[in-house]
């Protein structure tokens, strides 16, 4: 039976009533008042009240001048990797047409949504890579208009490298707005920017609640909570490296859970000791990662690799690393995770920033029933039917019989009219 050397992973993410009420108020006011409400909330929450929330071409050009040549090259590398993988994914999604019986042709097409809103967080960390993930991919999918949004960083507006990256990734319009008011602007429109059809991107609890309340008015990618990392490792792994990977994701915030699942009690103890050494030493973000580890770090010792899989699948972590002597076995048997990192060289940071897979992933056990953001999220799979008169006569009797049994006699009539 599994033994917990350390426990802290949240079992449930609670929705706070004050967050729910605040978000509801902002969204309601924006829906009914439009731009004035957006301006009022932006001024109140971000002290940001520009003449226009749409970022000008001159400001984008000025932001580009703040990005040195080396960083620009690395951003282009990351963008190209994300684009390449998204194109490969898109190539797997083919249209279908099949004649299921004489005179009956069925099919489906993958059609991109028209307008997407992409939100890039800018709180403790201005997440430049988020713009690559949430702008590049919908453009690959064929979305006509991507409206990229990020909060102001200072009196100039969006953080320069972040603004540059939004433009590099292919944004058609860029807005400088933060938080709930940003999602309200995307959902209901602002200035000359019409409402979008789908909003994507991560953020804090207010952003997650805004997406929850806006779902139906617009589509959403998923409801993301605090970022998570889990590592399955055994005595063949490097305890110091595993400890670093746990802390690397924990730096996202003091409420970011980190989990180690191991089949070796000795190794679990060694990882705990290595985490403490990092935090007592020169870990660069110890003030955040240390709190996350102390309050939400968990170490579970399992009796077998089968039990390790069961424990991991129960947690259904957003990011799951496997560093064992049986990596291929684990990869074949694990099923609940947002993204899987196989082997000691595959660290979460690679996917977070530049390897090509998308870093918008399910949290809070949502990996039990959904994957993360990908090119398919921006496509609608729509079906169609084409029939000849003979085909209609073949289908009509079963349709009419079922409709009559359901007391839907109008349906039955429309079928029988095609089978005189």
């Amino acid at each position: 039976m599994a033994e917990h050397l350390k426990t802290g992973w949240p079992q449930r993410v609670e929705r706070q009533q004050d967050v729910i009420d605040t978000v509801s108020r902002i969204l309601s006011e924006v829906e009914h008042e439009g731009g004035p409400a957006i301006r009022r909330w932006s001024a109140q929450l971000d002290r940001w009240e520009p003449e226009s929330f749409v970022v000008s071409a001159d400001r984008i050009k000025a932001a580009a001048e703040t990005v040195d040549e080396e960083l620009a090259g690395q951003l282009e590398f990351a963008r190209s990797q994300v684009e390449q993988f998204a194109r490969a994914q898109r190539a797997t999604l083919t249209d279908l047409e099949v004649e299921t019986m004489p005179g009956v042709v069925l099919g489906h097409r993958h059609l991109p949504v028209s307008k997407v809103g992409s939100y890039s967080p800018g709180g403790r960390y201005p997440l430049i890579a988020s713009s690559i993930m949430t702008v590049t991919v919908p453009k690959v999918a064929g979305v006509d208009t991507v409206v990229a949004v990020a909060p102001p960083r200072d009196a100039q507006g969006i953080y320069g490298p972040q603004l540059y990256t939004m433009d590099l990734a292919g944004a058609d319009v860029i807005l400088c707005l933060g938080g709930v008011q940003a999602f309200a602007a995307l959902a209901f429109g602002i200035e000359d920017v019409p409402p979008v059809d789908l909003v994507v991107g991560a953020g804090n609890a207010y952003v997650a609640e805004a997406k929850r309340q806006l779902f139906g008015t617009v589509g959403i990618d998923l409801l993301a909570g605090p970022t998570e990392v889990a590592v399955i490792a055994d005595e063949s792994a490097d305890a110091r490296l595993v400890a670093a990977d746990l802390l690397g994701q924990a730096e996202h915030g003091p409420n970011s859970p980190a989990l180690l699942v191991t089949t070796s009690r000795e190794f679990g103890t060694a990882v705990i000791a290595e985490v403490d050494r990092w935090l007592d030493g020169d870990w660069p973000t110890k003030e955040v990662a240390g709190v996350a580890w102390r309050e939400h770090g968990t170490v579970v010792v399992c009796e077998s690799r089968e039990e390790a899989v069961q424990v991991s699948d129960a947690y259904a972590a957003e990011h799951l690393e496997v560093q064992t002597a049986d990596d291929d076995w684990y990869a074949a048997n694990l099923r609940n995770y947002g993204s899987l990192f196989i082997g000691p060289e595959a660290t979460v940071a690679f996917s977070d920033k530049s390897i090509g897979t998308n870093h918008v992933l399910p949290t809070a056990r949502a990996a039990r029933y959904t994957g993360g953001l990908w090119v398919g999220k921006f496509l609608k799979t729509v079906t169609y039917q084409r029939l000849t008169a003979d085909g209609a006569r073949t289908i009509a009797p079963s349709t009419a019989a079922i409709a009559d049994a359901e007391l839907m006699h109008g349906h039955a009539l429309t079928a029988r009219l095609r089978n005189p």
Side-chain angles (χ1 to χ4, degrees):
M1 185 174 180
E3 173 191 6
H4 284 71
L5 297 184
K6 185 181 184 308
T7 303
W9 188 290
Q11 296 302 304
R12 182 179 179 185
V13 178
E14 298 288 347
R15 297 171 64 201
Q16 298 178 333
Q17 192 60 48
D18 62 331
V19 173
I20 296 171
D21 293 343
T22 299
V23 170
S24 179
R25 179 183 173 190
I26 295 173
L27 295 180
S28 178
E29 291 182 8
V30 172
E31 183 176 13
H32 290 94
E33 299 177 42
I38 294 174
R39 185 166 294 278
R40 184 170 63 250
W41 281 106
S42 180
Q44 178 178 330
L45 298 177
D46 288 333
R47 296 187 295 277
W48 179 249
E49 196 175 4
E51 181 178 340
S52 172
F53 290 107
V54 177
V55 180
S56 68
D58 288 343
R59 173 66 187 125
I60 295 172
K61 181 179 178 181
E65 294 173 356
T66 70
V67 178
D68 63 50
E69 186 175 342
E70 180 181 357
L71 177 57
Q74 300 297 356
L75 288 169
E76 171 54 25
F77 171 83
R79 188 209 62 77
S80 66
Q81 293 301 108
V82 171
E83 179 185 33
Q84 178 180 332
F85 187 63
R87 290 194 182 283
Q89 289 182 310
R90 179 65 182 88
T92 69
L93 300 171
T94 57
D95 291 351
L96 169 70
E97 185 170 285
V98 56
E99 187 172 22
T100 58
M101 61 180 63
V104 178
V105 174
L106 309 180
H108 74 224
R109 298 178 63 199
H110 301 292
L111 302 178
V113 300
S114 296
K115 297 181 289 295
V116 166
S118 154
Y119 185 78
S120 294
R124 178 180 288 109
Y125 309 110
L127 297 184
I128 299 170
S130 287
S131 301
I132 298 174
M133 307 292 173
T134 59
V135 176
T136 302
V137 179
K139 296 309 291 186
V140 169
V143 172
D144 293 330
T145 303
V146 176
V147 182
V149 190
R153 185 74 175 177
D154 52 32
Q156 299 302 310
I158 298 172
Y159 181 56
Q162 191 172 39
L163 178 55
Y164 169 81
T165 305
M166 289 173 163
D167 184 59
L168 175 70
D172 299 286
V173 181
I174 300 176
L175 298 174
C176 183
L177 273 169
V180 179
Q181 60 271 25
F183 281 86
L186 291 170
F188 301 119
I190 182 175
E191 298 177 14
D192 292 328
V193 182
V196 301
D197 305 306
L198 173 70
V199 294
V200 299
N204 60 19
Y206 289 89
V207 164
E209 182 60 28
K211 290 165 71 175
R212 188 192 308 273
Q213 293 189 24
L214 284 169
F215 179 63
T217 300
V218 292
I220 65 172
D221 47 359
L222 45 79
L223 295 171
T227 194
E228 307 161 350
V229 63
V231 180
I232 299 176
D234 60 20
E235 62 277 357
S236 70
D238 182 333
R240 185 170 184 270
L241 191 66
V242 169
D245 283 359
L246 292 170
L247 290 176
Q249 283 302 110
E251 78 175 0
H252 272 273
N255 56 353
S256 293
L259 166 71
L260 170 65
V261 178
T262 181
T263 52
S264 166
R265 193 178 196 282
E266 182 179 356
F267 183 79
T269 302
V271 170
I272 293 174
E274 291 294 343
V275 169
D276 290 340
R277 287 192 187 94
W278 277 119
L279 293 175
D280 290 339
D282 57 358
W283 189 262
T285 51
K286 66 175 71 178
E287 71 284 353
V288 176
V291 175
W293 174 253
R294 287 191 297 272
E295 297 186 3
H296 303 297
T298 299
V299 177
V300 183
V301 180
C302 298
E303 294 181 352
S304 66
R305 63 184 187 178
E306 289 79 11
E307 185 178 51
V309 166
Q310 292 175 359
V311 168
S312 176
D313 279 348
Y315 278 94
E318 176 188 17
H319 306 97
L320 177 58
E321 294 186 2
V322 176
Q323 300 184 30
T324 72
D326 300 308
D327 289 349
D328 290 342
W329 183 89
Y330 279 101
N333 286 276
L334 289 160
R335 65 188 306 163
N336 294 345
Y337 51 82
S339 193
L340 185 63
F341 303 80
I342 305 167
E345 303 305 325
T347 183
V348 171
F350 288 162
S351 177
D352 270 354
K353 309 305 177 187
S354 65
I355 203 170
T357 50
N358 207 293
H359 76 193
V360 180
L361 299 167
T363 64
R365 302 187 69 229
R368 292 172 299 130
Y369 55 81
T370 187
L373 190 63
W374 71 300
V375 73
K377 185 64 181 181
F378 303 99
L379 300 168
K380 303 173 295 181
T381 303
V382 295
T383 59
Y384 62 87
Q385 308 85 36
R386 183 185 300 114
L387 287 80
T388 64
D390 287 343
R393 283 191 288 270
T394 303
I395 298 296
S398 61
T399 300
I402 293 169
D404 279 336
E406 295 172 339
L407 307 183
M408 299 186 76
H409 303 303
H411 279 63
L413 176 60
T414 64
R416 290 191 174 101
L417 287 172
R418 288 161 173 82
N419 185 28

